[in-house]
Amino acid sequence: MLTRIGAIALLGLLLGQALPAHAHAAQGGAPDIYVDGKKLALAADPIVVGGATLVPMRAIFEAQHTEVTWSNAAQTVSAIKDGLLFTYRMGDTTAYLNGKAIPLPQPGAVVNGTAMLPLRFIGETLGNVVQWHAYANDITISTVREFRTSVTYGVNLRAAPDAASDTPIRGMLAKGEKIQVLREIDAKWLEVRTQDDRIGFVSAKPQYTDYESPTLAKLQGDELISFGMQYIGTPYEFGAALGQTDTFDCSSFVHHVFEEVLSVDLPRVSYNQAKEGRAVGLDELRVGDLLFFGARGLEIGHVGIYAGDNRILHTFSKVKGVHFDDFDEKWKKRFVTARRLI
């Protein structure tokens, strides 16, 4: 089997000319391709030729909900979607959409037995939105328009999932604007499509949109615990001041973790924190939920973060400082309520 370099050389022969100096395998390796948020499995790696990314034909058509027919004898492809008929013969510089000639930015070809076509050309010809992300060298295709998520606080649409000042901003999304979430990048970022067909990244923090999903909640819960763990052993001080991390009490610790990870500005004391979010039962607990307990003669005088596996991340002891505890019978006897903020 030919190596990727060999495949590129073969592609040059199939096109009937030597490849120009800028024809290459995708920088840093073949780009990942996501269609409506799902990573596309390909029979062969994409190849970049003349600035166009060529991808296996059948996979890209079928991922875009298109019926495709290939004639090996004639080296032609026909694809039908929503009343559109796309036809093309490998090696030609022109394709046809409902009989109308459309020039290709780069001819398609058969490489190692796999028919390859320009990705962006195919996606946009079929009416979809295609976006290459320079930061990760990956490609997004959006085929469906379903704007179910609302912006609840003005947020920047960025070219990369990064809040750094040098990250390009593609625009500001206003409160009330509808967007389509394409992909959950991590606990902090969502890839989205706007109603004017821009694709970019917005903060996944709950203050910015009303988007919710179990997978995002898990990512954010895990991020809360991971962030909080860096303070294991930090001394306990009742009434510890906010804005510093040398000491914590139970509620200042929870306040700090939620503010830093998710920009959630909780009240200072546990009694008032217990009024935030919504109540959940013990049989519903998930990582990141807040657990409230009676303490010091108060109905609610202590708070911790549920860490999964029947554990609590909290602080109350001058001996242990911030630490994990088992959510055992000792704690369940003092348990009052659990609240969910994410």
Side-chain angles (χ1 to χ4, degrees):
M1 180 175 291
L2 291 179
T3 64
R4 188 178 305 167
I5 294 175
I8 296 173
L10 174 60
L11 179 58
L13 294 174
L14 287 168
L15 296 180
Q17 58 183 5
L19 290 179
H22 55 278
H24 56 282
Q27 183 178 1
D32 289 331
I33 299 170
Y34 294 86
V35 180
D36 297 325
K38 296 180 180 179
K39 187 175 178 180
L40 184 61
L42 297 173
D45 284 340
I47 296 173
V48 177
V49 181
T53 300
L54 273 62
V55 296
M57 171 201 72
R58 183 171 296 278
I60 200 64
F61 275 124
E62 292 181 347
Q64 296 178 96
H65 319 292
T66 303
E67 182 181 344
V68 58
T69 302
W70 166 253
S71 170
N72 193 54
Q75 298 284 284
T76 59
V77 57
S78 299
I80 300 175
K81 179 185 178 182
D82 299 333
L84 297 175
L85 173 61
F86 174 89
T87 57
Y88 177 68
R89 185 176 64 183
M90 287 295 165
D92 286 356
T93 57
T94 302
Y96 295 88
L97 186 66
N98 288 348
K100 180 181 178 181
I102 304 175
L104 270 72
Q106 186 70 40
V110 177
V111 180
N112 283 345
T114 300
M116 311 279 280
L117 290 174
L119 172 65
R120 180 180 292 276
F121 173 81
I122 296 303
E124 294 179 348
T125 296
L126 294 174
N128 302 319
V129 179
V130 182
Q131 178 67 55
W132 176 64
H133 298 305
Y135 83 97
N137 186 37
D138 64 25
I139 298 168
T140 286
I141 302 175
S142 175
T143 74
V144 181
R145 292 174 60 87
E146 294 179 347
F147 301 100
R148 298 174 178 173
T149 298
S150 296
V151 176
T152 53
Y153 191 91
V155 62
N156 286 323
L157 180 71
R158 294 179 176 269
D162 190 339
S165 59
D166 59 350
T167 301
I169 295 174
R170 293 181 172 151
M172 167 68 77
L173 305 183
K175 178 180 179 180
E177 189 169 343
K178 290 287 188 178
I179 57 176
Q180 179 178 3
V181 175
L182 302 176
R183 189 165 40 122
E184 298 163 359
I185 302 300
D186 54 28
K188 297 181 179 180
W189 294 97
L190 302 171
E191 183 183 27
V192 304
R193 174 178 175 175
T194 66
Q195 288 178 296
D196 60 356
D197 292 335
R198 290 174 293 165
I199 290 178
F201 302 89
V202 301
S203 173
K205 293 179 180 180
Q207 75 184 83
Y208 294 110
T209 74
D210 62 3
Y211 178 76
E212 295 181 354
S213 82
T215 52
L216 180 61
K218 183 180 187 309
L219 288 170
Q220 292 181 336
D222 290 344
E223 185 75 9
L224 289 168
I225 299 303
S226 178
F227 180 81
M229 284 175 59
Q230 69 181 297
Y231 298 105
I232 293 290
T234 299
Y236 173 84
E237 179 190 10
F238 181 76
L242 297 180
Q244 56 84 37
T245 58
D246 294 330
T247 61
F248 293 111
D249 65 13
C250 65
S251 54
S252 74
F253 174 65
V254 167
H255 184 284
H256 177 69
V257 171
F258 272 78
E259 182 176 54
E260 290 299 311
V261 175
L262 298 176
S263 298
V264 173
D265 186 16
L266 288 170
R268 171 61 181 84
V269 299
S270 58
Y271 177 80
N272 290 325
Q273 289 176 354
K275 300 175 184 178
E276 301 294 308
R278 65 180 181 87
V280 293
L282 288 180
D283 59 343
E284 303 175 79
L285 288 180
R286 70 187 185 198
V287 176
D289 288 342
L290 294 183
L291 302 176
F292 294 90
F293 306 90
R296 305 189 311 279
L298 302 173
E299 178 187 3
I300 293 177
H302 180 63
V303 60
I305 307 173
Y306 184 64
D309 297 326
N310 219 34
R311 297 184 304 157
I312 313 167
L313 179 61
H314 60 171
T315 184
F316 66 89
S317 165
K318 290 187 176 181
V319 175
K320 296 181 179 180
V322 176
H323 67 286
F324 286 101
D325 259 332
D326 289 333
F327 188 25
D328 55 19
E329 287 305 313
K330 174 186 69 176
W331 286 105
K332 288 180 179 176
K333 286 179 181 179
R334 299 168 57 185
F335 173 76
V336 178
T337 187
R339 307 292 294 188
R340 178 166 296 162
L341 280 71
I342 57 174

